[in-house]
Amino acid sequence: MIVEIVSPEATLFSGEVTSVAVPGVNGEFQMLNNHAPIVSLLGSGNVKIVGSNIKIAKEFVSKFNKVNEQTYWLPINSGTIEMNDNKIIVLAD
């Protein structure tokens, strides 16, 4: 599935991943391939992306925490997420 993480300044990440976990306002939840369509508000926490070939643009790599070769975390204060047709858009602040 495709994920785009967009901040007010720029698109921080766009690429294919196997899972995304986000800090929902009522707790963390995860989305995998073919997840039902969803729109949700996000709270403070980490957006976690997992994939076999994640490439973060050089100018944004400092915003992400690398857990291992396949897992990255992006700390956010709040945001919104939409998933539809295996495409996730995270609007993060």
Side-chain angles (χ1 to χ4, degrees):
M1 70 187 156
I2 302 296
V3 65
E4 287 184 10
I5 302 175
V6 181
S7 76
E9 297 84 31
T11 298
L12 302 177
F13 176 78
S14 182
E16 188 154 337
V17 299
T18 54
S19 75
V20 175
V22 294
V25 291
N26 292 322
E28 182 177 275
F29 62 96
Q30 180 181 35
M31 290 153 290
L32 301 170
N33 202 25
N34 296 318
H35 192 283
I38 187 171
V39 174
S40 180
L41 293 174
L42 302 178
S44 180
N46 292 305
V47 175
K48 301 171 191 171
I49 56 174
V50 178
S52 59
N53 195 20
I54 294 178
K55 293 187 176 151
I56 309 291
K58 191 184 281 188
E59 62 267 26
F60 302 122
V61 77
S62 65
K63 294 185 179 289
F64 288 83
N65 296 314
K66 183 176 181 179
V67 177
N68 56 45
E69 292 300 318
Q70 296 183 340
T71 306
Y72 288 82
W73 291 6
L74 174 68
I76 65 168
N77 294 318
S78 63
T80 306
I81 187 166
E82 176 187 14
M83 178 164 186
N84 194 17
D85 293 330
N86 283 331
K87 181 174 182 179
I88 298 171
I89 299 172
V90 178
L91 303 175
D93 181 29

